[in-house]
Amino acid sequence: MNVDFTTPEDELWEEFNQAATLPARRVEILYSFGQREAWNFTSKEPMKYWMPALEMARENQLVREWVEVTEVITREYIMNQHEYELAIEMANEGLGLIPELAFDLEDRVSQAHLTWGKAVAYDNLEKYSEALAFFNLGSRMYANVGNDILANVLASASAFIHTQLDEHDEAENMLPAIREFFIQKEDLARVAYCDLISAIVMMHKGQYQEALELALEVKSVEKQVNKLDSGTLRWVAKAYFYTENYEEAVAHYRQAIKMASKKPDRDYKDVVKATLGLAEVFAAQGKTKEAAAARFDAKVMDKRL
């Protein structure tokens, strides 16, 4: 569907309410309003348009529009509402509308988008085996429609999930080809992400100093390209912890918590992980009260998820 960011709202509502306006066009108008709202940082409530669009598409059996609306709702559930089970349900609804062996390019791209959504939702639910399966499937789907960039983005996500499953050799084997691809594309942020996964593998192998040096390089590169996030700071903190530089570990965990707590992209899950990391450092320092307080804070925050 086309997204209309320019036509005045009153004009679109007037068209929407005209008896001659077809249901497909009404769905498109609601879809556009939702997209506008998604970019409205003061309110950001696209679902008040997308849910009625979904119902209208369902009622009128507008399959193409129906699929597109499930895509944006799946993404909204993941990115802003953190409703991962609902995201999986919505992605499944969209996938169920597309033939398993789809020949239409638009259908195959939608399959890839919805499969990626399921993978991210399972990742956030820490169901890593399911996440890995869908990241791998989504990567193949993107490759099959000629989108090599997203195919490699999902492949790098698969490599990270392998580390969460303690399958570090598998992750290590995947990384060189993915890293080389992003070097060729001059995508420094994605190259840095590959290097961060390598640092995680090094930590698993007990190569703590090498892991720290590489993690600090990642931090520097991400800072240069304005892509530094709380996850990277958390892994740098972990590397400092393993090298027993507790002061820097505490500093980086606190930076990670601060960054993950910022609006509008507040990430409670990363706040919890960084706070538990902070508790681990305090425990290693023998600061039992501080460790207990950090664990309590993490528990309270976890209840918000």
Side-chain angles (χ1 to χ4, degrees):
M1 286 180 285
N2 294 318
V3 179
D4 185 342
F5 285 107
T6 58
T7 302
E9 187 174 329
D10 289 347
E11 288 185 25
L12 286 176
W13 278 123
E14 184 179 349
E15 181 184 358
F16 182 90
N17 290 318
Q18 287 175 0
T21 303
L22 296 174
R25 176 56 182 156
R26 287 196 173 104
V27 171
E28 187 174 55
I29 290 171
L30 291 172
Y31 179 82
S32 290
F33 280 142
Q35 292 286 11
R36 291 182 182 190
E37 191 68 20
W39 288 96
N40 183 347
F41 295 110
T42 58
S43 56
K44 208 167 187 178
E45 296 179 10
M47 297 291 257
K48 67 184 180 183
Y49 301 108
W50 286 339
M51 294 307 289
L54 179 65
E55 288 303 319
M56 193 173 292
R58 284 171 175 163
E59 289 170 10
N60 292 277
Q61 292 294 297
L62 302 169
V63 175
R64 184 65 251 162
E65 290 82 359
W66 191 349
V67 170
E68 286 193 50
V69 175
T70 64
E71 287 180 46
V72 292
I73 292 176
T74 298
R75 186 166 61 247
E76 176 66 16
Y77 276 143
I78 292 169
M79 300 300 295
N80 296 313
Q81 300 197 16
H82 311 295
E83 293 282 1
Y84 305 117
E85 296 284 3
L86 291 176
I88 292 167
E89 289 178 17
M90 187 57 55
N92 283 336
E93 180 174 339
L95 287 166
L97 297 167
I98 304 170
E100 188 173 345
L101 296 174
F103 294 102
D104 181 81
L105 179 61
E106 200 170 7
D107 282 345
R108 290 160 64 199
V109 170
S110 290
Q111 274 185 327
H113 290 339
L114 291 164
T115 299
W116 186 3
K118 285 182 69 172
V120 173
Y122 278 121
D123 182 10
N124 279 280
L125 291 168
E126 298 182 0
K127 295 182 177 181
Y128 295 126
S129 295
E130 292 89 342
L132 179 62
F134 285 107
F135 275 129
N136 286 337
L137 178 58
S139 180
R140 292 195 297 272
M141 286 176 168
Y142 280 120
N144 288 338
V145 297
N147 194 329
D148 292 336
I149 291 177
L150 290 183
N152 278 275
V153 167
L154 268 67
S156 64
S158 293
F160 176 76
I161 296 297
H162 275 302
T163 67
Q164 303 307 290
L165 292 168
D166 289 327
E167 297 170 353
H168 295 84
D169 289 343
E170 288 84 345
E172 192 170 27
N173 291 336
M174 293 178 69
L175 287 171
I178 302 168
R179 189 178 190 277
E180 180 59 29
F181 174 85
F182 286 119
I183 287 174
Q184 294 298 322
K185 295 295 180 183
E186 299 182 352
D187 189 333
L188 295 180
R190 291 290 173 186
V191 173
Y193 182 64
C194 291
D195 289 342
L196 182 63
I197 298 170
S198 293
I200 294 168
V201 172
M202 288 176 183
M203 290 182 220
H204 173 74
K205 292 182 174 182
Q207 300 168 346
Y208 300 131
Q209 189 58 43
E210 296 92 330
L212 174 60
E213 290 170 6
L214 186 55
L216 287 172
E217 285 182 25
V218 170
K219 176 187 171 185
S220 176
V221 170
E222 289 187 350
K223 221 172 172 183
Q224 289 173 34
V225 297
N226 200 29
K227 292 288 186 179
L228 181 62
D229 62 20
S230 57
T232 297
L233 290 171
R234 187 163 47 78
W235 284 109
V236 172
K238 191 78 168 176
Y240 272 124
F241 172 75
Y242 281 134
T243 58
E244 299 183 7
N245 187 335
Y246 298 138
E247 185 176 332
E248 284 293 340
V250 167
H252 278 78
Y253 275 130
R254 283 179 171 156
Q255 288 176 40
I257 292 167
K258 183 177 180 180
M259 183 173 287
S261 301
K262 282 184 178 178
K263 294 180 180 179
D265 301 317
R266 182 177 291 156
D267 187 342
Y268 288 124
K269 185 177 284 289
D270 231 31
V271 172
V272 170
K273 289 179 179 179
T275 305
L276 289 173
L278 195 59
E280 187 178 26
V281 180
F282 286 143
Q285 291 176 302
K287 297 179 178 179
T288 54
K289 289 183 180 179
E290 290 88 341
R295 283 191 288 269
F296 176 79
D297 289 344
K299 186 176 180 180
V300 170
M301 187 67 66
D302 195 43
K303 289 180 180 178
R304 299 187 186 183
L305 297 175

Coordinates of all heavy atoms in Angstrom, one line a residue, residues 34 37-38 43-52 69 72-88 90 120-121 124-125 264-269 303-305:
G34 N -1.8 5.5 10.3 CA -0.9 4.8 11.3 C 0.5 5.0 11.1 O 1.3 5.2 12.0
E37 N 1.3 8.4 12.4 CA 1.4 8.4 13.9 C 2.6 7.7 14.4 O 3.2 8.1 15.4 CB 0.1 7.6 14.4 CG -0.1 7.7 15.9 CD -0.5 9.1 16.3 OE1 -0.9 9.9 15.5 OE2 -0.3 9.4 17.6
A38 N 3.1 6.7 13.7 CA 4.3 6.0 14.1 C 5.5 7.0 14.1 O 6.5 6.7 14.9 CB 4.6 4.8 13.1
S43 N 2.9 11.5 20.4 CA 1.9 10.6 20.8 C 2.2 9.2 20.4 O 2.1 8.3 21.2 CB 0.5 11.0 20.1 OG 0.7 11.1 18.7
K44 N 2.6 8.9 19.1 CA 3.0 7.6 18.7 C 2.0 6.5 19.0 O 2.3 5.6 19.8 CB 4.4 7.3 19.2 CG 5.2 6.4 18.4 CD 6.7 6.4 18.8 CE 7.5 5.6 17.8 NZ 8.9 5.6 18.1
E45 N 0.8 6.6 18.5 CA -0.2 5.6 18.7 C -0.7 5.0 17.4 O -1.9 5.2 17.0 CB -1.3 6.2 19.5 CG -0.9 6.6 20.9 CD -2.1 7.2 21.7 OE1 -3.2 7.1 21.2 OE2 -1.8 7.8 22.8
P46 N 0.1 4.4 16.6 CA -0.4 3.9 15.3 C -1.4 2.8 15.3 O -2.2 2.7 14.4 CB 0.9 3.4 14.6 CG 1.8 3.0 15.8 CD 1.5 4.0 16.8
M47 N -1.5 2.1 16.5 CA -2.4 1.0 16.5 C -3.9 1.4 16.5 O -4.7 0.7 16.1 CB -2.2 0.2 17.8 CG -0.8 -0.5 17.8 SD -0.6 -1.8 16.6 CE -0.8 -3.2 17.7
K48 N -4.2 2.7 16.9 CA -5.5 3.1 16.8 C -6.0 3.2 15.4 O -7.3 3.3 15.2 CB -5.7 4.5 17.6 CG -5.0 5.7 16.9 CD -5.2 6.9 17.8 CE -4.5 8.1 17.2 NZ -4.6 9.3 18.1
Y49 N -5.1 3.2 14.4 CA -5.5 3.2 13.0 C -5.3 1.8 12.4 O -6.1 1.3 11.6 CB -4.7 4.2 12.2 CG -4.9 5.6 12.7 CD1 -3.9 6.3 13.4 CD2 -6.1 6.3 12.5 CE1 -4.1 7.6 13.8 CE2 -6.3 7.6 12.9 CZ -5.3 8.2 13.6 OH -5.5 9.5 14.0
W50 N -4.2 1.1 12.8 CA -3.9 -0.1 12.2 C -4.8 -1.3 12.6 O -5.1 -2.1 11.8 CB -2.4 -0.5 12.5 CG -1.4 0.3 11.8 CD1 -1.6 1.0 10.6 CD2 -0.1 0.5 12.1 NE1 -0.5 1.6 10.2 CE2 0.5 1.4 11.1 CE3 0.8 0.1 13.2 CZ2 1.8 1.8 11.1 CZ3 2.1 0.5 13.2 CH2 2.6 1.3 12.2
M51 N -5.3 -1.3 13.9 CA -6.2 -2.3 14.3 C -7.6 -2.2 13.5 O -8.1 -3.3 13.0 CB -6.4 -2.3 15.8 CG -5.2 -2.7 16.6 SD -4.4 -4.2 16.1 CE -5.6 -5.4 16.7
P52 N -8.2 -1.0 13.4 CA -9.3 -1.0 12.5 C -9.1 -1.3 11.0 O -9.9 -1.9 10.4 CB -9.8 0.5 12.6 CG -9.2 1.0 13.9 CD -7.9 0.2 14.1
V69 N -0.8 -5.1 6.7 CA -1.1 -4.6 8.0 C -0.6 -5.5 9.1 O -0.1 -5.0 10.1 CB -2.7 -4.4 8.2 CG1 -3.0 -4.0 9.6 CG2 -3.2 -3.4 7.2
V72 N 3.1 -4.4 9.8 CA 3.4 -3.3 10.6 C 3.0 -3.5 12.0 O 3.6 -3.0 13.0 CB 2.8 -2.0 10.0 CG1 3.4 -1.6 8.7 CG2 1.2 -2.1 9.8
I73 N 1.9 -4.2 12.2 CA 1.5 -4.5 13.6 C 2.5 -5.4 14.3 O 2.8 -5.2 15.5 CB 0.0 -5.1 13.6 CG1 -1.0 -4.1 13.2 CG2 -0.3 -5.6 15.0 CD1 -2.4 -4.6 13.1
T74 N 3.0 -6.4 13.6 CA 4.0 -7.3 14.2 C 5.2 -6.4 14.6 O 5.7 -6.6 15.7 CB 4.5 -8.3 13.2 OG1 3.4 -9.2 12.8 CG2 5.6 -9.2 13.7
R75 N 5.6 -5.5 13.8 CA 6.8 -4.7 14.1 C 6.5 -3.8 15.3 O 7.3 -3.6 16.2 CB 7.2 -3.9 12.9 CG 8.5 -3.0 13.1 CD 9.0 -2.5 11.8 NE 8.1 -1.6 11.1 CZ 7.5 -1.9 9.9 NH1 7.7 -3.0 9.3 NH2 6.6 -1.0 9.4
E76 N 5.3 -3.2 15.3 CA 4.9 -2.3 16.4 C 4.9 -3.1 17.8 O 5.3 -2.6 18.8 CB 3.5 -1.7 16.2 CG 3.0 -0.9 17.3 CD 3.8 0.4 17.6 OE1 4.6 0.8 16.7 OE2 3.5 1.0 18.6
Y77 N 4.3 -4.3 17.7 CA 4.3 -5.1 19.0 C 5.7 -5.4 19.5 O 6.0 -5.4 20.7 CB 3.6 -6.5 18.7 CG 2.1 -6.5 18.8 CD1 1.4 -7.3 17.9 CD2 1.4 -5.8 19.7 CE1 0.0 -7.3 17.9 CE2 0.1 -5.8 19.8 CZ -0.7 -6.6 18.9 OH -2.0 -6.6 19.0
I78 N 6.7 -5.6 18.6 CA 8.0 -5.9 19.0 C 8.8 -4.6 19.4 O 9.3 -4.5 20.5 CB 8.8 -6.5 17.8 CG1 8.3 -7.9 17.5 CG2 10.3 -6.6 18.1 CD1 8.8 -8.5 16.3
M79 N 8.8 -3.6 18.5 CA 9.6 -2.4 18.7 C 9.2 -1.5 19.8 O 10.0 -0.9 20.6 CB 9.7 -1.6 17.4 CG 10.3 -2.4 16.3 SD 12.0 -3.0 16.6 CE 12.9 -1.5 16.7
N80 N 7.9 -1.3 20.0 CA 7.4 -0.3 20.9 C 6.5 -0.8 22.0 O 6.5 -0.1 23.1 CB 6.6 0.8 20.1 CG 7.5 1.6 19.1 OD1 8.6 2.0 19.5 ND2 7.0 1.7 17.9
Q81 N 5.9 -1.9 21.8 CA 5.0 -2.4 22.9 C 5.6 -3.6 23.6 O 5.1 -4.0 24.7 CB 3.6 -2.8 22.3 CG 2.9 -1.6 21.7 CD 1.5 -1.8 21.4 OE1 0.8 -2.7 22.0 NE2 0.9 -1.0 20.6
H82 N 6.6 -4.2 23.1 CA 7.3 -5.3 23.7 C 6.3 -6.5 24.1 O 6.4 -7.2 25.1 CB 8.0 -4.9 25.0 CG 8.9 -3.7 24.8 ND1 10.0 -3.7 23.9 CD2 8.8 -2.4 25.3 CE1 10.5 -2.5 23.9 NE2 9.8 -1.7 24.7
E83 N 5.3 -6.7 23.2 CA 4.3 -7.7 23.3 C 4.7 -8.8 22.3 O 4.2 -9.0 21.2 CB 2.9 -7.2 23.0 CG 2.4 -6.2 23.9 CD 1.9 -6.8 25.2 OE1 2.0 -8.0 25.4 OE2 1.4 -6.0 26.1
Y84 N 5.7 -9.7 22.8 CA 6.3 -10.6 21.9 C 5.4 -11.8 21.5 O 5.4 -12.2 20.3 CB 7.6 -11.1 22.4 CG 8.5 -9.9 22.8 CD1 8.9 -9.6 24.1 CD2 9.0 -9.0 21.8 CE1 9.7 -8.6 24.4 CE2 9.8 -7.9 22.1 CZ 10.1 -7.7 23.4 OH 10.9 -6.6 23.7
E85 N 4.6 -12.2 22.4 CA 3.7 -13.3 22.1 C 2.7 -12.8 21.1 O 2.3 -13.6 20.1 CB 3.0 -13.8 23.4 CG 3.9 -14.5 24.4 CD 4.4 -15.9 24.0 OE1 4.0 -16.3 22.9 OE2 5.1 -16.5 24.8
L86 N 2.2 -11.6 21.3 CA 1.2 -11.1 20.3 C 1.9 -10.9 18.9 O 1.2 -11.0 17.9 CB 0.6 -9.7 20.8 CG -0.3 -9.8 22.0 CD1 -0.7 -8.4 22.5 CD2 -1.5 -10.7 21.7
A87 N 3.1 -10.5 18.9 CA 3.9 -10.3 17.7 C 3.9 -11.6 16.9 O 3.7 -11.7 15.7 CB 5.3 -9.8 17.9
I88 N 4.2 -12.7 17.6 CA 4.3 -14.0 17.0 C 2.9 -14.4 16.4 O 2.8 -14.9 15.3 CB 4.8 -15.1 18.0 CG1 6.2 -14.8 18.3 CG2 4.6 -16.5 17.4 CD1 6.7 -15.6 19.5
M90 N 0.5 -12.4 15.4 CA 0.2 -11.5 14.3 C 1.0 -11.9 13.1 O 0.5 -12.0 11.9 CB 0.5 -10.0 14.6 CG 0.1 -9.1 13.6 SD -1.7 -9.1 13.1 CE -2.5 -8.9 14.7
V120 N 12.8 -12.2 15.9 CA 13.1 -11.2 16.9 C 12.3 -11.4 18.2 O 12.7 -11.2 19.3 CB 12.9 -9.8 16.3 CG1 13.1 -8.7 17.4 CG2 13.9 -9.5 15.2
A121 N 11.0 -11.7 17.9 CA 10.1 -11.9 19.1 C 10.6 -13.1 19.9 O 10.7 -13.0 21.2 CB 8.7 -12.2 18.6
N124 N 13.6 -12.1 21.9 CA 13.3 -11.3 23.1 C 12.6 -12.2 24.2 O 12.7 -11.8 25.4 CB 12.4 -10.2 22.7 CG 13.2 -9.0 22.2 OD1 13.8 -8.2 22.9 ND2 13.2 -8.9 20.9
L125 N 12.0 -13.2 23.8 CA 11.4 -14.2 24.8 C 12.5 -15.2 25.3 O 12.2 -16.0 26.2 CB 10.3 -15.0 24.2 CG 9.0 -14.1 23.9 CD1 8.0 -14.9 23.0 CD2 8.3 -13.7 25.2
P264 N 13.1 7.9 23.6 CA 11.9 7.1 23.5 C 12.1 5.6 23.4 O 11.2 4.8 23.2 CB 11.2 7.7 22.3 CG 12.3 8.0 21.4 CD 13.4 8.5 22.4
D265 N 13.4 5.2 23.3 CA 13.8 3.8 23.0 C 14.2 3.1 24.2 O 15.1 2.2 24.2 CB 14.9 3.8 22.0 CG 14.6 4.5 20.7 OD1 13.4 4.3 20.2 OD2 15.4 5.3 20.2
R266 N 13.5 3.3 25.3 CA 13.8 2.7 26.6 C 13.8 1.1 26.4 O 12.8 0.6 25.9 CB 12.9 3.1 27.7 CG 13.1 2.5 29.0 CD 12.2 3.1 30.0 NE 12.4 4.5 30.3 CZ 11.5 5.4 30.8 NH1 10.3 5.0 31.0 NH2 11.9 6.6 31.0
D267 N 14.8 0.5 26.9 CA 14.9 -1.0 26.8 C 15.0 -1.6 28.2 O 16.1 -1.8 28.7 CB 16.1 -1.4 25.9 CG 16.1 -2.9 25.5 OD1 15.5 -3.7 26.3 OD2 16.8 -3.2 24.6
Y268 N 13.9 -2.0 28.8 CA 13.9 -2.5 30.1 C 14.7 -3.8 30.2 O 15.3 -4.1 31.2 CB 12.5 -2.7 30.6 CG 11.7 -1.5 30.9 CD1 10.5 -1.2 30.3 CD2 12.2 -0.5 31.8 CE1 9.8 0.0 30.6 CE2 11.5 0.6 32.1 CZ 10.3 0.9 31.5 OH 9.6 2.0 31.8
K269 N 14.6 -4.6 29.1 CA 15.3 -5.9 29.2 C 16.8 -5.7 29.3 O 17.5 -6.4 30.1 CB 15.0 -6.7 27.9 CG 15.6 -8.1 27.9 CD 15.2 -8.8 26.6 CE 13.8 -9.3 26.7 NZ 13.6 -10.4 27.6
K303 N 9.8 -7.2 36.4 CA 8.3 -7.3 36.5 C 7.6 -6.4 35.5 O 6.4 -6.6 35.3 CB 7.9 -7.0 37.9 CG 8.2 -8.1 38.9 CD 7.8 -7.8 40.3 CE 8.2 -8.9 41.3 NZ 7.7 -8.5 42.7
R304 N 8.3 -5.3 35.0 CA 7.7 -4.4 34.1 C 7.7 -5.0 32.7 O 7.0 -4.5 31.8 CB 8.5 -3.1 34.0 CG 8.5 -2.4 35.4 CD 9.1 -1.0 35.2 NE 9.3 -0.3 36.4 CZ 9.8 0.9 36.5 NH1 10.1 1.6 35.4 NH2 9.9 1.5 37.7
L305 N 8.4 -6.0 32.5 CA 8.6 -6.6 31.1 C 7.3 -7.4 30.7 O 6.7 -8.0 31.6 CB 9.8 -7.5 31.0 CG 11.1 -6.8 31.2 CD1 12.3 -7.8 31.3 CD2 11.4 -5.8 30.2

